[in-house]
Amino acid sequence: MSGEKGQSLVLEPTPPAGEPFVPTPEETAGPFFRPNSPAKNNFREAGVSGAPVRLTGFVLDRKGDPVSGVLLDFWHADDRGEYDFKGYRCRGHQFSDARGEYVLETIVPGLYPGRTRHYHVRLQAADGPILSTQLYFSGEARNATDSLFRPDLLLKLRRGAASVVATFNFVIELGA
Ligand code: FE
């Protein structure tokens, strides 16, 4: 598993000294966030179907250094385009590990009216501000008509042996 994880690392080249990384753009959390999600890094549990995705990457600070212990709270629609408001299906939080890495085993989210395909996530380092944002899939017809879509929030997609590997590295502001 660690080998497969290693192959998914896609770190951008380090910019010249003193040039900060651009923070990940903020987007609305939208109306479907639920607080108090359980600790969970695998959404492919009973009652969840859909094409498997391993969503992974690093959390970096503005110098490009990995940040451990950052809360990542993910939520998204199921493969029918529905959010769970009774329980926490396709909802869960985790913390970036000692190398700043996160891994979420999940599915391709379904489409729902008015939106292109997306994941939601809220990140927060200890004492840092909350960053709410969304992640998108390339090749989606609705990307052209969804006003929230941003090309700088596109996942890097790669087909693995058992699932699609979707990579995104977040850049966050740290607390004072
Ligand atoms: Fe949504």
Side-chain angles (χ1 to χ4, degrees), residues 75-156:
W75 72 103
H76 62 78
D78 66 16
D79 66 328
R80 295 165 303 172
E82 292 173 2
Y83 286 88
D84 184 7
F85 296 107
K86 292 181 182 150
Y88 288 93
R89 205 161 26 87
C90 297
R91 300 178 185 273
H93 75 264
Q94 61 179 284
F95 294 88
S96 59
D97 70 12
R99 299 165 58 231
E101 190 171 22
Y102 70 92
V103 181
L104 176 64
E105 299 290 351
T106 188
I107 57 157
V108 176
L111 292 165
Y112 60 90
R115 294 302 318 278
T116 191
R117 203 178 306 280
H118 62 281
Y119 295 118
H120 295 268
V121 61
R122 276 161 60 113
L123 295 91
Q124 189 171 28
D127 302 323
I130 293 171
L131 170 69
S132 288
T133 193
Q134 303 187 30
L135 302 174
Y136 297 97
F137 291 76
S138 54
E140 292 288 332
R142 289 199 199 172
N143 287 349
T145 56
D146 186 331
S147 61
L148 290 174
F149 171 78
R150 293 180 57 124
D152 50 3
L153 292 173
L154 277 170
L155 295 156
K156 285 184 180 142

Side-chain angles (χ1 to χ4, degrees), residues 29-46:
F32 305 134
F33 174 70
R34 280 193 76 190
N36 307 315
S37 74
K40 187 163 62 169
N41 59 13
N42 188 351
F43 290 179
R44 294 200 298 271
E45 51 197 349

Side-chain angles (χ1 to χ4, degrees), residues 11-85:
L11 278 172
E12 301 298 333
T14 303
E19 185 179 321
F21 277 41
V22 177
T24 300
E26 181 128 26
E27 289 215 300
T28 177
F32 305 134
F33 174 70
R34 280 193 76 190
N36 307 315
S37 74
K40 187 163 62 169
N41 59 13
N42 188 351
F43 290 179
R44 294 200 298 271
E45 51 197 349
V48 175
S49 56
V53 174
R54 167 181 288 224
L55 173 56
T56 186
F58 290 88
V59 182
L60 308 173
D61 64 20
R62 293 199 59 185
K63 291 182 294 198
D65 292 328
V67 188
S68 63
V70 175
L71 171 69
L72 299 105
D73 195 344
F74 290 98
W75 72 103
H76 62 78
D78 66 16
D79 66 328
R80 295 165 303 172
E82 292 173 2
Y83 286 88
D84 184 7
F85 296 107

